[in-house]
Amino acid sequence: MKAIRRFSVRPVLPEPLRPLHRLARNLRWSWHPETRELFESVDPEGWRESGGDPVRLLGTVPVSRLADLAEDRSFLRRLTAAADDLHDYLTGPRWYQGRTAAEGRAGPGPGDAVPSDGSAPSGASGVPSGASGASGASVPSVPPGASAPSVPPGASVPPDAPAPTGLPAAIAYFSPEFGITAALPQYSGGLGILAGDHLKAASDLGVPLMGVGLLYRHGYFRQSLSREGWQQEHYPVLDPNELPLTQLSEADGRPVRIPLTLPGGRPLHARVWHAQVGRVPLLLLDSDVEENGHGERDVTDRLYGGGSEHRLLQEMLLGIGGVRAVRAYCRLTGHPDPEVFHTNEGHAGFQGLERIRELIADGADFGAAHEAVRAGTVFTTHTPVPAGIDRFDRELVARHFGDDAELPGIEAERVLALGMESYPGGEPNLFNMAVMGLRLAQRANGVSTLHGRVSREMFAGLWPGFDPEEVPINSITNGVHAPTWTAPEVTRLGARQFGHLPDAELWELRRTLRKRLVAEVRQRLYDSWRQRGAGTAELGWIDGVLDPDVLTIGFARRVPSYKRLTLMLRDPDRLMELLLHPERPIQIVVAGKAHPADDGGKRLVQELVRFADDPRVRHRLVFLPDYGMGMAQQLYPGCDVWLNNPLRPLEACGTSGMKAALNGCLNLSVLDGWWDEWYDPDFGWAIPTADGDAIDDTRRDDLEATALYDLLERRIAPRFYDRGPDGLPGRWIDMVRRTLTTLGPKVLAGRMVREYVERLYAPAARAHRALDPVAAAELATWKSRIRDAWPGVTVDHVEAQLTPPAPGGAAELGSTLSLRVRVRLAGLTPADVEVQAVAGRVDDTDRITHATHVPLKPTTGPDPEGRRLYEGPLALDRTGPFGYTVRILPTHHLLASAPELGLIALPGDSMTEAAGVLMR
């Protein structure tokens, strides 16, 4: 019989075992081996059945076993040690607290070195007291001889307490998904895993981050296969009471309710669940509450599910509701209010609108509120393709905002103006979440160096007149959280320094991990075939699947078309030869999910599954369904080579290869994402890219697949099987060692989070503090005045005098070009603008590259026609084709970058030829 109602019965732990509850509720156990080992010892069989989830484990342990453990002195000593270790982790000062203290003493001098991994030198802060930030705002310094105010970690801080240093008191990090652990399945792929690693690394570093997301009742789908190899989706119901979550409640015990207003005044309510990720609180909003109607209860049903309106409601709840949840959490706990809001991809962009509404309610006008919100906002874009961005029809968005919907007091047209693609190349009827994210954030970044460049080109329309390299989108390359993704054996051996580990020991480690993967694959493959309808009697062949001594290649990720899951099948006969080579065979483990609505991706999965089902190769190539964190943590360490073959440059970063590298797995990848940045022959191999304009997609796939086969056959397999007199593949082991010692430190999430703190969070906090209500209003007024006047700002005339003179039109190295430029400022003053000479090498189309910007100085007031004269010298300091131009930009000490307003005045076409000079 089926139960009519389901609820959870929590165990009552004996008093000596009470610390187990706190250990289970803090998700630090997901990356702390000693805590996991402690829980496993409670009930080894129950631990396996619970999938390594301490909360589920404690709900199933027999009372008799708990009574025995309460009398077990050895276990209680281990429990006390684990509880003390967690307490020290949560309360002791860490990297961020050291930076805060250092700022209170003194900042680094101009010559202080900063390590390449983004960390600070010992005792240095990187944010000098009293120094101007990127916004130009001054940070108050601590008086000489005085110590900086400090707050003990974990102590209650009034929400309005000022931060004691230039670093932010708190940062709110918004993301539509978080991959913390398989026990909290609120992720679909790389974006969520990256968000989870960001939170974990922030916790390890002591960064005062708080995460904000949604709690999806069905999570992302579970994947299985039909007998024919077609992907099937299953949506298990998740009970929040059985997850490592606590409901946020008011002081009187009532659950906190976050309200939103839907069109026509209909209410949408959400409750807030709190997960503790080490030192970092994670708030998850859930609309499945009794106060809501059926449709409203389903808003948080599935991750990336439903149609356009469903997605819009999810993103409104994430952004607008998320800010309201943050305010409630800070009010109830004394946590400092965030000074910086970080939007992880465009899904959470509405958080900026809610903060604007708050400021308007306090008396600000829209312009001033917009400026204040922008100053403290960071936006990270994760997609290199427009199709990967959520875009909504204009009328749909307009219907959900305004006086009878959400954000009353803000006109719907104001909301629309922030997200509409009102720029050359855009679709003017579409509301673009990434565009809104960029317009609401003063600082933005891509997630690898190449992706930053691609993003600047993709969004260049928002800054017309500027070259893509000047578009204010920076890049911070993603990283991965080593304690989560490194096998325990690798972690333990790492303490002995891989640079000095004997070859035999390192090779034995690799074989141990490969052997464990083989056992894991066989079990998962058996379970998959049973789900596909196979009987036990026909599955004996699975015992021979994979070989712990064969070169093992891994490929696991989401299955959009650009990741090219089936590129390896381009020439099935050649792949079969590689798999079955009599002396140098390879074996491949593949996993991945296609989006439920992506039939093309499902067909790719089916194509690969059908090849893997072939009795001739099924012991050498395996597809494992239901790829997730649990599988990944076994897959990365056990592979020898990690394969990645996207269409360049469509992989923003691609962190799976980073996780593999932490375990000594070598990378084989197209030069895209992070691999384009850090590829080195010591670490792996680069698949040549056939991306010329004259090559169609079919021809490109053929060429790159052939290159892949050639690398496997001629370089990778021979090196793996090339054994010395000692029976060891010495050259392969050298590559493993270099991967662990040289590449591993680069790919760490700790390096990534330190870069966010130093390059984005700290400047954003300083800008936020500088934009008090008066300054924000003045800046908004100034911008409005600049925009109104700008159509009349022109470069009227440019004169150049070469010293010494150069007959024949050529110039000599070391010469000086004296420039005289007449401009019209249309009522603006010289303090409002900067007139620049832009000079550098020119290409065949006369485009300036590697430009130098030289400010020119005003020398006379306006003449009778309103023109001003600017002058300045331009040194000709490089040989070869050389060119220059002049331009006018707005300038203000509170701007983060010169292109911020997207306004520029350039010489007209009629004077371009006369204004240029070539030096050969």
Side-chain angles (χ1 to χ4, degrees):
M1 290 181 288
K2 186 175 181 179
I4 62 171
R5 187 179 179 190
R6 174 193 176 108
F7 55 91
S8 297
V9 180
R10 297 187 183 278
V12 178
L13 296 175
E15 184 63 33
L17 301 184
R18 292 292 172 87
L20 282 173
H21 181 76
R22 188 182 189 207
L23 289 170
R25 289 285 164 177
N26 191 307
L27 293 174
R28 187 207 181 203
W29 61 258
S30 68
W31 72 90
H32 192 248
E34 292 81 1
T35 305
R36 292 199 303 274
E37 291 166 4
L38 175 73
F39 279 112
E40 184 176 13
S41 69
V42 169
D43 182 355
E45 183 60 30
W47 178 253
R48 285 188 291 273
E49 291 179 356
S50 72
D53 178 353
V55 173
R56 290 180 58 194
L57 170 72
L58 294 179
T60 60
V61 178
V63 174
S64 59
R65 174 59 177 163
L66 294 176
D68 291 343
L69 289 173
E71 302 293 331
D72 186 332
R73 292 187 177 182
S74 175
F75 180 83
L76 293 178
R77 283 195 297 270
R78 293 176 62 198
L79 175 58
T80 299
D84 289 346
D85 183 76
L86 177 61
H87 178 268
D88 292 344
Y89 175 86
L90 296 178
T91 60
R94 307 189 75 80
W95 172 82
Y96 196 84
Q97 288 68 43
R99 295 298 297 270
T100 300
E103 283 195 11
R105 295 191 296 268
D112 287 349
V114 178
S116 60
D117 68 350
S119 64
S122 178
S125 73
V127 188
S129 295
S132 293
S135 66
S138 178
V139 181
S141 60
V142 178
S147 59
S150 62
V151 178
S156 178
V157 182
D160 57 350
T165 70
L167 296 175
I171 305 111
Y173 180 90
F174 287 68
S175 179
E177 51 176 303
F178 286 92
I180 309 293
T181 167
L184 189 61
Q186 300 294 308
Y187 62 92
S188 71
L191 180 69
I193 300 300
L194 181 278
D197 283 7
H198 197 109
L199 265 57
K200 294 174 188 176
S203 174
D204 291 343
L205 293 169
V207 178
L209 203 73
M210 54 194 310
V212 185
L214 300 179
L215 180 70
Y216 304 95
R217 183 52 54 92
H218 299 287
Y220 201 50
F221 71 92
R222 301 293 301 272
Q223 178 197 43
S224 64
L225 300 173
S226 71
R227 187 75 187 210
E228 295 74 31
W230 187 255
Q231 172 179 296
Q232 298 178 317
E233 297 92 29
H234 312 275
Y235 292 91
V237 177
L238 302 175
D239 182 353
N241 295 294
E242 295 177 355
L243 299 173
L245 301 170
T246 303
Q247 190 169 182
L248 186 65
S249 298
E250 299 286 354
D252 61 5
R254 291 180 298 111
V256 167
R257 286 292 183 264
I258 304 300
L260 263 72
T261 304
L262 303 182
R266 290 182 296 123
L268 168 65
H269 299 279
R271 55 184 164 179
V272 182
W273 297 94
H274 168 223
Q276 193 65 35
V277 186
R279 299 167 70 116
V280 172
L282 171 60
L283 307 179
L284 301 173
L285 287 90
D286 170 19
S287 70
D288 188 15
V289 296
E290 293 181 357
E291 297 95 317
N292 286 333
H294 177 74
E296 288 74 38
R297 294 186 75 156
D298 285 345
V299 166
T300 56
D301 58 350
R302 299 177 181 180
L303 177 58
Y304 301 139
S308 290
E309 185 164 20
H310 188 82
R311 290 286 289 274
L312 178 63
L313 289 174
Q314 286 189 340
E315 294 179 9
M316 290 176 64
L317 182 59
L318 173 59
I320 299 169
V323 173
R324 295 171 185 174
V326 166
R327 302 306 187 205
Y329 180 82
C330 293
R331 170 175 57 83
L332 291 166
T333 65
H335 191 287
D337 273 324
E339 295 184 276
V340 175
F341 285 74
H342 183 174
T343 303
N344 190 40
E345 198 43 272
H347 309 83
F350 289 122
Q351 57 86 12
L353 284 170
E354 168 63 8
R355 290 159 58 215
I356 288 174
R357 184 202 63 78
E358 292 176 330
L359 294 175
I360 291 175
D362 288 339
D365 63 23
F366 183 90
H370 183 200
E371 295 304 329
V373 164
R374 286 187 73 252
T377 303
V378 172
F379 173 70
T380 298
T381 175
H382 287 265
T383 177
V385 290
I389 299 170
D390 277 346
R391 302 155 87 198
F392 300 107
D393 184 77
R394 172 193 175 96
E395 284 69 29
L396 175 64
V397 176
R399 189 159 55 86
H400 281 78
F401 290 93
D403 290 338
D404 65 342
E406 192 47 74
L407 303 184
I410 300 179
E411 298 174 3
E413 287 301 318
R414 292 272 200 181
V415 176
L416 291 170
L418 288 169
M420 300 307 294
E421 296 183 4
S422 53
Y423 49 82
E427 295 189 32
N429 198 45
L430 288 182
F431 185 92
N432 185 310
M433 294 298 290
V435 167
M436 179 176 67
L438 289 166
R439 286 174 173 157
L440 282 172
Q442 195 173 44
R443 288 163 181 83
N445 70 288
V447 292
S448 69
T449 299
L450 177 60
H451 178 236
R453 186 161 68 245
V454 171
S455 298
R456 288 188 288 274
E457 293 172 352
M458 185 165 73
F459 294 110
L462 290 170
W463 292 271
F466 290 91
D467 291 337
E469 57 265 25
E470 290 191 279
V471 167
I473 300 176
N474 211 317
S475 60
I476 292 179
T477 301
N478 284 343
V480 295
H481 187 244
T484 296
W485 301 109
T486 307
E489 296 88 345
V490 177
T491 301
R492 285 193 287 267
L493 282 175
R496 294 178 51 187
Q497 298 183 343
F498 286 108
H500 305 289
L501 197 67
D503 282 6
E505 197 168 341
L506 186 52
W507 185 242
E508 182 57 29
L509 167 66
R510 293 297 314 146
R511 189 180 188 279
T512 298
L513 298 174
R514 199 183 309 116
K515 185 176 180 180
R516 181 189 302 158
L517 174 62
V518 169
E520 178 81 6
V521 166
R522 290 174 180 173
Q523 182 60 55
R524 287 181 178 271
L525 191 63
Y526 178 85
D527 294 342
S528 173
W529 272 100
R530 291 287 288 157
Q531 286 184 320
R532 295 174 69 181
T536 303
E538 57 183 310
L539 297 179
W541 59 272
I542 289 179
D543 292 337
V545 166
L546 304 190
D547 183 328
D549 292 311
V550 166
L551 171 62
T552 304
I553 298 171
F555 183 100
R557 51 192 36 87
R558 292 184 303 111
V559 191
S561 59
Y562 78 87
K563 291 182 182 284
R564 297 192 294 185
L565 171 73
T566 57
L567 186 70
M568 65 181 75
L569 302 182
R570 202 70 184 173
D571 184 343
D573 292 337
R574 189 163 183 196
L575 176 59
M576 195 171 294
E577 291 173 2
L578 291 168
L579 295 169
L580 304 177
H581 194 284
E583 298 172 357
R584 298 189 298 274
I586 67 171
Q587 56 194 16
I588 306 176
V589 182
V590 183
K593 292 179 177 180
H595 188 279
D598 181 10
D599 283 348
K602 293 180 184 180
R603 281 191 289 272
L604 296 177
V605 170
Q606 185 179 46
E607 182 182 351
L608 194 132
V609 170
R610 286 177 170 172
F611 183 88
D613 286 350
D614 188 326
R616 294 173 294 176
V617 298
R618 63 188 182 186
H619 64 300
R620 287 280 188 258
L621 193 151
V622 176
F623 181 88
L624 300 179
D626 207 28
Y627 178 50
M629 289 186 72
M631 181 193 298
Q633 286 169 324
Q634 299 293 325
L635 192 54
Y636 297 132
C639 291
D640 299 295
V641 173
W642 195 257
L643 174 62
N644 189 29
N645 46 229
L647 281 168
R648 187 181 192 272
L650 302 185
E651 185 82 274
C653 186
T655 57
S656 61
M658 294 179 171
K659 298 163 192 151
L662 288 176
N663 293 279
C665 178
L666 310 183
N667 273 269
L668 168 62
S669 176
V670 167
L671 289 175
D672 201 3
W674 75 276
W675 192 236
D676 179 77
E677 192 170 335
W678 287 330
Y679 160 71
D680 188 290
D682 287 343
F683 310 146
W685 299 268
I687 302 172
T689 303
D691 54 1
D693 293 337
I695 298 178
D696 61 33
D697 290 344
T698 300
R699 177 65 173 156
R700 178 174 181 174
D701 285 352
D702 288 340
L703 291 171
E704 294 185 14
T706 299
L708 171 61
Y709 299 139
D710 288 345
L711 282 168
L712 289 169
E713 180 181 10
R714 299 172 186 174
R715 296 178 59 188
I716 298 173
R719 179 161 295 193
F720 181 86
Y721 290 105
D722 179 19
R723 309 299 162 95
D726 55 3
L728 300 174
R731 292 195 300 162
W732 189 276
I733 294 172
D734 286 344
M735 294 181 72
V736 171
R737 193 186 310 280
R738 290 191 184 104
T739 294
L740 290 167
T741 58
T742 305
L743 181 58
K746 292 183 179 181
V747 303
L748 298 180
R751 182 269 313 155
M752 172 189 71
V753 171
R754 286 193 296 269
E755 288 192 34
Y756 272 103
V757 168
E758 293 161 349
R759 296 171 54 193
L760 294 176
Y761 295 162
R766 295 195 294 270
H768 161 76
R769 294 170 197 164
L771 265 290
D772 60 25
V774 173
E778 290 177 351
L779 180 60
T781 300
W782 177 85
K783 285 189 175 182
S784 178
R785 180 167 59 86
I786 295 294
R787 292 190 180 101
D788 289 344
W790 204 257
V793 175
T794 60
V795 178
D796 278 7
H797 184 71
V798 178
E799 297 177 10
Q801 180 69 44
L802 191 62
T803 306
E812 294 181 353
L813 182 65
S815 301
T816 299
L817 199 64
S818 299
L819 296 177
R820 291 166 55 86
V821 182
R822 293 194 181 276
V823 301
R824 294 181 189 271
L825 299 185
L828 302 180
T829 71
D832 294 323
V833 302
E834 179 168 285
V835 179
Q836 294 178 344
V838 182
R841 293 188 181 277
V842 291
D843 60 20
D844 293 341
T845 64
D846 286 344
R847 300 289 299 177
I848 297 173
T849 61
H850 303 96
T852 299
H853 304 96
V854 179
L856 305 178
K857 295 182 179 180
T859 58
T860 65
D863 62 18
E865 297 182 17
R867 299 182 303 178
R868 293 180 181 269
L869 179 65
Y870 279 73
E871 297 182 350
L874 182 62
L876 306 184
D877 57 358
R878 65 193 75 180
T879 59
F882 184 93
Y884 76 90
T885 188
V886 294
R887 65 183 186 179
I888 309 173
L889 304 173
T891 184
H892 192 283
H893 72 283
L894 290 177
L895 298 182
S897 63
E900 184 172 313
L901 273 71
L903 299 176
I904 187 172
L906 297 165
D909 292 339
S910 61
M911 71 173 69
T912 300
E913 186 169 339
V917 64
L918 293 179
M919 180 176 67
R920 304 186 186 282

mmCIF file of all heavy atoms in Angstrom, residues 673-693:
data_model
loop_
_atom_site.group_PDB
_atom_site.id
_atom_site.type_symbol
_atom_site.label_atom_id
_atom_site.label_comp_id
_atom_site.label_asym_id
_atom_site.label_seq_id
_atom_site.Cartn_x
_atom_site.Cartn_y
_atom_site.Cartn_z
ATOM 1 N N GLY A 673 39.038 27.178 -23.597
ATOM 2 C CA GLY A 673 38.872 27.374 -22.168
ATOM 3 C C GLY A 673 40.200 27.458 -21.438
ATOM 4 O O GLY A 673 41.154 28.092 -21.894
ATOM 5 N N TRP A 674 40.284 26.802 -20.298
ATOM 6 C CA TRP A 674 41.495 26.876 -19.474
ATOM 7 C C TRP A 674 42.693 26.213 -20.144
ATOM 8 O O TRP A 674 43.845 26.610 -19.922
ATOM 9 C CB TRP A 674 41.236 26.224 -18.113
ATOM 10 C CG TRP A 674 41.210 24.720 -18.149
ATOM 11 C CD1 TRP A 674 40.160 23.930 -18.471
ATOM 12 C CD2 TRP A 674 42.301 23.830 -17.849
ATOM 13 N NE1 TRP A 674 40.507 22.604 -18.414
ATOM 14 C CE2 TRP A 674 41.817 22.519 -18.023
ATOM 15 C CE3 TRP A 674 43.620 24.021 -17.467
ATOM 16 C CZ2 TRP A 674 42.619 21.400 -17.812
ATOM 17 C CZ3 TRP A 674 44.419 22.899 -17.260
ATOM 18 C CH2 TRP A 674 43.926 21.603 -17.429
ATOM 19 N N TRP A 675 42.466 25.202 -20.992
ATOM 20 C CA TRP A 675 43.580 24.478 -21.618
ATOM 21 C C TRP A 675 44.307 25.375 -22.623
ATOM 22 O O TRP A 675 45.513 25.260 -22.816
ATOM 23 C CB TRP A 675 43.056 23.212 -22.294
ATOM 24 C CG TRP A 675 44.109 22.222 -22.727
ATOM 25 C CD1 TRP A 675 44.276 21.733 -23.993
ATOM 26 C CD2 TRP A 675 45.094 21.576 -21.920
ATOM 27 N NE1 TRP A 675 45.308 20.818 -24.016
ATOM 28 C CE2 TRP A 675 45.831 20.712 -22.762
ATOM 29 C CE3 TRP A 675 45.441 21.643 -20.582
ATOM 30 C CZ2 TRP A 675 46.884 19.913 -22.289
ATOM 31 C CZ3 TRP A 675 46.486 20.855 -20.108
ATOM 32 C CH2 TRP A 675 47.192 20.009 -20.962
ATOM 33 N N ASP A 676 43.580 26.280 -23.259
ATOM 34 C CA ASP A 676 44.209 27.250 -24.153
ATOM 35 C C ASP A 676 45.210 28.114 -23.383
ATOM 36 O O ASP A 676 46.223 28.546 -23.934
ATOM 37 C CB ASP A 676 43.134 28.133 -24.792
ATOM 38 C CG ASP A 676 43.715 29.189 -25.724
ATOM 39 O OD1 ASP A 676 44.102 28.841 -26.846
ATOM 40 O OD2 ASP A 676 43.782 30.361 -25.300
ATOM 41 N N GLU A 677 44.924 28.335 -22.130
ATOM 42 C CA GLU A 677 45.729 29.223 -21.288
ATOM 43 C C GLU A 677 46.941 28.528 -20.691
ATOM 44 O O GLU A 677 48.028 29.111 -20.594
ATOM 45 C CB GLU A 677 44.808 29.734 -20.178
ATOM 46 C CG GLU A 677 45.306 30.871 -19.355
ATOM 47 C CD GLU A 677 44.177 31.404 -18.487
ATOM 48 O OE1 GLU A 677 42.987 31.225 -18.854
ATOM 49 O OE2 GLU A 677 44.483 31.980 -17.438
ATOM 50 N N TRP A 678 46.781 27.262 -20.279
ATOM 51 C CA TRP A 678 47.827 26.602 -19.488
ATOM 52 C C TRP A 678 48.383 25.344 -20.142
ATOM 53 O O TRP A 678 49.134 24.593 -19.511
ATOM 54 C CB TRP A 678 47.285 26.264 -18.096
ATOM 55 C CG TRP A 678 47.124 27.488 -17.235
ATOM 56 C CD1 TRP A 678 47.867 28.630 -17.286
ATOM 57 C CD2 TRP A 678 46.148 27.695 -16.213
ATOM 58 N NE1 TRP A 678 47.429 29.526 -16.354
ATOM 59 C CE2 TRP A 678 46.369 28.989 -15.675
ATOM 60 C CE3 TRP A 678 45.112 26.920 -15.680
ATOM 61 C CZ2 TRP A 678 45.593 29.510 -14.646
ATOM 62 C CZ3 TRP A 678 44.344 27.447 -14.659
ATOM 63 C CH2 TRP A 678 44.590 28.721 -14.149
ATOM 64 N N TYR A 679 48.015 25.107 -21.403
ATOM 65 C CA TYR A 679 48.570 23.923 -22.064
ATOM 66 C C TYR A 679 50.081 23.977 -22.097
ATOM 67 O O TYR A 679 50.693 25.019 -22.352
ATOM 68 C CB TYR A 679 48.040 23.809 -23.493
ATOM 69 C CG TYR A 679 48.896 22.924 -24.371
ATOM 70 C CD1 TYR A 679 48.927 21.548 -24.181
ATOM 71 C CD2 TYR A 679 49.713 23.466 -25.371
ATOM 72 C CE1 TYR A 679 49.732 20.736 -24.962
ATOM 73 C CE2 TYR A 679 50.516 22.663 -26.162
ATOM 74 C CZ TYR A 679 50.525 21.297 -25.949
ATOM 75 O OH TYR A 679 51.332 20.493 -26.716
ATOM 76 N N ASP A 680 50.680 22.829 -21.860
ATOM 77 C CA ASP A 680 52.126 22.663 -21.964
ATOM 78 C C ASP A 680 52.368 21.203 -22.319
ATOM 79 O O ASP A 680 51.691 20.315 -21.775
ATOM 80 C CB ASP A 680 52.798 23.016 -20.624
ATOM 81 C CG ASP A 680 54.314 23.039 -20.734
ATOM 82 O OD1 ASP A 680 54.916 21.951 -20.894
ATOM 83 O OD2 ASP A 680 54.894 24.136 -20.642
ATOM 84 N N PRO A 681 53.304 20.906 -23.219
ATOM 85 C CA PRO A 681 53.562 19.503 -23.570
ATOM 86 C C PRO A 681 53.938 18.639 -22.376
ATOM 87 O O PRO A 681 53.811 17.415 -22.446
ATOM 88 C CB PRO A 681 54.724 19.603 -24.575
ATOM 89 C CG PRO A 681 54.631 20.976 -25.132
ATOM 90 C CD PRO A 681 54.115 21.842 -24.022
ATOM 91 N N ASP A 682 54.375 19.264 -21.280
ATOM 92 C CA ASP A 682 54.682 18.492 -20.078
ATOM 93 C C ASP A 682 53.436 17.943 -19.405
ATOM 94 O O ASP A 682 53.519 17.013 -18.604
ATOM 95 C CB ASP A 682 55.420 19.368 -19.061
ATOM 96 C CG ASP A 682 56.854 19.661 -19.477
ATOM 97 O OD1 ASP A 682 57.368 18.951 -20.362
ATOM 98 O OD2 ASP A 682 57.457 20.587 -18.921
ATOM 99 N N PHE A 683 52.266 18.538 -19.706
ATOM 100 C CA PHE A 683 51.042 18.167 -19.006
ATOM 101 C C PHE A 683 50.097 17.332 -19.859
ATOM 102 O O PHE A 683 49.129 16.788 -19.331
ATOM 103 C CB PHE A 683 50.257 19.424 -18.569
ATOM 104 C CG PHE A 683 51.070 20.446 -17.835
ATOM 105 C CD1 PHE A 683 50.800 21.796 -17.987
ATOM 106 C CD2 PHE A 683 52.101 20.074 -16.986
ATOM 107 C CE1 PHE A 683 51.527 22.750 -17.308
ATOM 108 C CE2 PHE A 683 52.844 21.025 -16.304
ATOM 109 C CZ PHE A 683 52.559 22.366 -16.464
ATOM 110 N N GLY A 684 50.297 17.303 -21.171
ATOM 111 C CA GLY A 684 49.353 16.590 -22.012
ATOM 112 C C GLY A 684 49.491 16.972 -23.463
ATOM 113 O O GLY A 684 50.580 17.353 -23.917
ATOM 114 N N TRP A 685 48.384 16.903 -24.195
ATOM 115 C CA TRP A 685 48.417 17.068 -25.635
ATOM 116 C C TRP A 685 47.314 18.017 -26.093
ATOM 117 O O TRP A 685 46.241 18.086 -25.489
ATOM 118 C CB TRP A 685 48.242 15.714 -26.326
ATOM 119 C CG TRP A 685 49.336 14.746 -25.970
ATOM 120 C CD1 TRP A 685 50.508 14.539 -26.642
ATOM 121 C CD2 TRP A 685 49.358 13.862 -24.848
ATOM 122 N NE1 TRP A 685 51.268 13.591 -26.009
ATOM 123 C CE2 TRP A 685 50.591 13.153 -24.902
ATOM 124 C CE3 TRP A 685 48.490 13.595 -23.798
ATOM 125 C CZ2 TRP A 685 50.951 12.206 -23.960
ATOM 126 C CZ3 TRP A 685 48.836 12.662 -22.846
ATOM 127 C CH2 TRP A 685 50.061 11.964 -22.934
ATOM 128 N N ALA A 686 47.571 18.731 -27.174
ATOM 129 C CA ALA A 686 46.596 19.650 -27.758
ATOM 130 C C ALA A 686 46.090 19.068 -29.070
ATOM 131 O O ALA A 686 46.882 18.714 -29.952
ATOM 132 C CB ALA A 686 47.229 21.016 -28.000
ATOM 133 N N ILE A 687 44.769 18.963 -29.212
ATOM 134 C CA ILE A 687 44.163 18.506 -30.459
ATOM 135 C C ILE A 687 44.128 19.690 -31.413
ATOM 136 O O ILE A 687 43.533 20.718 -31.096
ATOM 137 C CB ILE A 687 42.741 17.980 -30.216
ATOM 138 C CG1 ILE A 687 42.758 16.830 -29.204
ATOM 139 C CG2 ILE A 687 42.100 17.541 -31.527
ATOM 140 C CD1 ILE A 687 41.375 16.390 -28.758
ATOM 141 N N PRO A 688 44.773 19.596 -32.569
ATOM 142 C CA PRO A 688 44.766 20.731 -33.512
ATOM 143 C C PRO A 688 43.341 21.127 -33.890
ATOM 144 O O PRO A 688 42.452 20.283 -34.014
ATOM 145 C CB PRO A 688 45.536 20.188 -34.721
ATOM 146 C CG PRO A 688 46.362 19.066 -34.184
ATOM 147 C CD PRO A 688 45.560 18.462 -33.079
ATOM 148 N N THR A 689 43.144 22.427 -34.073
ATOM 149 C CA THR A 689 41.825 22.957 -34.388
ATOM 150 C C THR A 689 41.753 23.367 -35.851
ATOM 151 O O THR A 689 42.608 24.108 -36.335
ATOM 152 C CB THR A 689 41.517 24.185 -33.510
ATOM 153 O OG1 THR A 689 41.624 23.802 -32.134
ATOM 154 C CG2 THR A 689 40.127 24.714 -33.767
ATOM 155 N N ALA A 690 40.728 22.881 -36.540
ATOM 156 C CA ALA A 690 40.508 23.235 -37.952
ATOM 157 C C ALA A 690 39.382 24.244 -38.014
ATOM 158 O O ALA A 690 38.248 23.926 -38.374
ATOM 159 C CB ALA A 690 40.175 21.984 -38.760
ATOM 160 N N ASP A 691 39.669 25.496 -37.629
ATOM 161 C CA ASP A 691 38.597 26.474 -37.495
ATOM 162 C C ASP A 691 38.670 27.589 -38.535
ATOM 163 O O ASP A 691 38.241 28.704 -38.281
ATOM 164 C CB ASP A 691 38.594 27.079 -36.088
ATOM 165 C CG ASP A 691 39.950 27.654 -35.707
ATOM 166 O OD1 ASP A 691 40.877 27.596 -36.525
ATOM 167 O OD2 ASP A 691 40.076 28.171 -34.580
ATOM 168 N N GLY A 692 39.220 27.321 -39.705
ATOM 169 C CA GLY A 692 39.262 28.339 -40.749
ATOM 170 C C GLY A 692 37.876 28.647 -41.289
ATOM 171 O O GLY A 692 36.973 27.806 -41.279
ATOM 172 N N ASP A 693 37.694 29.862 -41.786
ATOM 173 C CA ASP A 693 36.392 30.288 -42.290
ATOM 174 C C ASP A 693 35.924 29.450 -43.476
ATOM 175 O O ASP A 693 34.723 29.315 -43.717
ATOM 176 C CB ASP A 693 36.447 31.763 -42.698
ATOM 177 C CG ASP A 693 36.652 32.682 -41.504
ATOM 178 O OD1 ASP A 693 36.319 32.260 -40.380
ATOM 179 O OD2 ASP A 693 37.146 33.814 -41.695
#
